[in-house]
Amino acid sequence: MKIMRTIRLALKNIRSNKLRSALTMLGLIIGISSVIVLVGIGTGATTNITSEVASLGTDILTVSVNTDQGLTLDEVSELSELSGIKQAAPFANVSATVSKGASTGSMLSVLGVDGNYLDVRNYTLSAGREISFIDLDNQSKVCIIGADVSQDLFNNENPVDQTIKIGGDNYTVIGTLTEQGSSMGTNADSMVLMPVTTAQSLAGSGDIKSLYVQTENEDAVNFTQLATENYLKTTLDASSDEISVTTQQSMLDTMSSVQDTLILLLAGIASISLLVGGIGVMNVMLVSVTERTKEIGIRKSLGARKSNILVQFLIEALILCLLGGITGILLGLGVGSAAELLGYTFTYSLNIVGIAFGFAAVIGLVFGIFPAYRASCLNPIEALRMD
């Protein structure tokens, strides 16, 4: 019952100074809402990237060659015959102007691929056919276009068997991709695919320095990674620094590590506001002790013990911080929801919300203990003399 009376008295004192109490809580509200918003948006961003990496499949190896001379198609075919490898899909990036008829056209990402690329990347065709080995052998001027390219160039017409210009040359559209969206910074809907041999001719280079390798099963990933590295080192006479063979799992582990570091960084930055808010609480409580010195003297002269005064002011500081904490949490969740409407991904964690609320309680105890102790140590006779 004594605790309930103390809580009611604390609430009465807080209500009697509404503006001061609100300004005192402001630092905590900003700090806690900042923690929730920044960590939520940071977590959402890294979760999106992680899901994009995972969507490639954990049985995929990404190979990059940084030597002067890359692989040939025959060497890629030889690589795909290694034990544990299901298929290899080389690709080469080329930038070229894509247009239809006499239109000006626009610069798009043109990717040279073979027949395995769509299967490895889990892309599907909405119409037409895939690139065949005949297209590769003949360096055929054919292409597959993404959904956005199809809409921009042909509106609602069927683009299959029609002609577009790539780099000033005519290419026949043999297929269109279903809408894929953006993944890992690559927007397949705005992409044009052509035979890798044709792309090499367009770029003036016959080297293959990038490819995906799909393993026969997920259990063979580590074995296949080592076998691929050894093959590249032997074939290209390359060092470990000149080749890169990464698994999706290693990328996921890296993203997890980055996410943890990002969350700690953002939480640390936002926690500065909490520290400032805590200092504000202590300052206001010290002012409150000074203003209520005579009240403290009267209570002590009527028999209040030192512990009663200590608990009263400590509970008042704690309630002040908890109210700020609850308001900050609600504000943070509200701002996070608004951020989602603006296109950001906001992923809030109950653990972070709980930690933020607990931190508010800790601030109330830590920064309230000194004013409370100072109030409890006042001499009742001297306190009664105060005006």
Side-chain angles (χ1 to χ4, degrees):
M1 294 300 294
K2 289 183 179 180
I3 291 295
M4 292 305 298
R5 284 199 299 270
T6 303
I7 292 175
R8 284 196 294 269
L9 180 60
L11 290 172
K12 179 182 177 181
N13 290 325
I14 291 173
R15 285 197 300 269
S16 64
N17 296 282
K18 294 184 181 65
L19 180 59
R20 186 170 69 185
S21 298
L23 293 175
T24 302
M25 293 187 293
L26 187 59
L28 293 174
I29 293 171
I30 294 174
I32 289 176
S33 60
S34 297
V35 169
I36 292 174
V37 172
L38 292 178
V39 172
I41 291 178
T43 301
T46 51
T47 299
N48 280 346
I49 297 174
T50 300
S51 63
E52 289 179 1
V53 174
S55 67
L56 289 177
T58 54
D59 60 343
I60 303 296
L61 302 176
T62 303
V63 179
S64 297
V65 177
N66 298 315
T67 56
D68 292 334
Q69 184 176 356
L71 295 170
T72 64
L73 279 178
D74 289 337
E75 289 170 339
V76 172
S77 178
E78 186 178 297
L79 171 64
S80 65
E81 298 297 324
L82 295 180
S83 176
I85 294 181
K86 180 180 179 181
Q87 57 186 346
F91 61 93
N93 283 296
V94 180
S95 292
T97 301
V98 179
S99 61
K100 177 191 174 186
S103 62
T104 305
S106 57
M107 188 69 69
L108 296 178
S109 174
V110 179
L111 204 63
V113 301
D114 69 353
N116 297 329
Y117 186 82
L118 297 184
D119 186 34
V120 170
R121 291 302 306 269
N122 292 320
Y123 291 165
T124 57
L125 293 174
S126 60
R129 64 173 178 87
E130 297 180 358
I131 293 172
S132 68
F133 69 92
I134 296 177
D135 297 323
L136 296 173
D137 290 343
N138 295 333
Q139 296 184 13
S140 302
K141 292 186 177 181
V142 295
C143 64
I144 298 172
I145 59 177
D148 289 347
V149 179
S150 175
Q151 181 63 31
D152 291 342
L153 296 181
F154 298 95
N155 293 322
N156 296 321
E157 297 180 33
N158 181 9
V160 177
D161 293 331
Q162 297 201 50
T163 301
I164 63 174
K165 286 186 177 293
I166 302 177
D169 293 331
N170 290 326
Y171 284 74
T172 301
V173 179
I174 61 172
T176 57
L177 294 173
T178 55
E179 190 171 346
Q180 308 291 332
S182 180
S183 176
M184 295 296 293
T186 301
N187 187 0
D189 297 333
S190 299
M191 186 182 297
V192 176
L193 307 180
M194 65 171 59
V196 65
T197 51
T198 308
Q200 289 171 336
S201 176
L202 183 64
S205 172
D207 295 332
I208 295 173
K209 296 189 175 183
S210 301
L211 62 147
Y212 293 115
V213 174
Q214 185 176 25
T215 62
E216 292 180 348
N217 56 72
E218 294 181 4
D219 296 332
V221 168
N222 292 333
F223 169 79
T224 307
Q225 181 183 19
L226 183 60
T228 302
E229 289 175 348
N230 291 335
Y231 175 82
L232 294 174
K233 288 178 183 178
T234 303
T235 303
L236 300 175
D237 190 23
S239 64
S240 299
D241 295 335
E242 294 176 314
I243 59 173
S244 172
V245 182
T246 57
T247 65
Q248 302 309 308
Q249 187 58 50
S250 65
M251 294 179 70
L252 288 173
D253 292 341
T254 301
M255 286 307 307
S256 177
S257 176
V258 170
Q259 176 180 354
D260 292 342
T261 303
L262 179 63
I263 289 175
L264 287 175
L265 177 63
L266 294 176
I269 293 173
S271 295
I272 295 175
S273 296
L274 292 176
L275 180 61
V276 173
I279 295 173
V281 169
M282 183 172 65
N283 184 47
V284 168
M285 291 305 298
L286 286 172
V287 173
S288 180
V289 170
T290 302
E291 290 178 345
R292 293 157 60 187
T293 300
K294 193 167 186 177
E295 173 195 328
I296 296 168
I298 294 173
R299 291 193 62 189
K300 280 197 166 187
S301 65
L302 293 175
R305 294 190 299 270
K306 182 178 179 178
S307 60
N308 298 134
I309 304 298
L310 179 70
V311 170
Q312 177 190 343
F313 280 87
L314 196 57
I315 287 179
E316 189 170 325
L318 182 60
I319 291 176
L320 201 61
C321 290
L322 290 180
L323 289 174
I326 293 172
T327 306
I329 290 170
L330 295 177
L331 178 62
L333 294 177
V335 173
S337 299
E340 285 192 311
L341 298 178
L342 296 175
Y344 295 95
T345 301
F346 176 74
T347 305
Y348 74 91
S349 168
L350 292 178
N351 290 333
I352 295 298
V353 172
I355 290 172
F357 185 74
F359 207 96
V362 170
I363 286 176
L365 292 173
V366 172
F367 288 92
I369 190 69
F370 177 68
Y373 177 75
R374 184 171 178 177
S376 68
C377 291
L378 287 175
N379 187 298
I381 296 176
E382 294 180 358
L384 288 170
R385 292 176 179 170
M386 297 291 294
D387 292 331

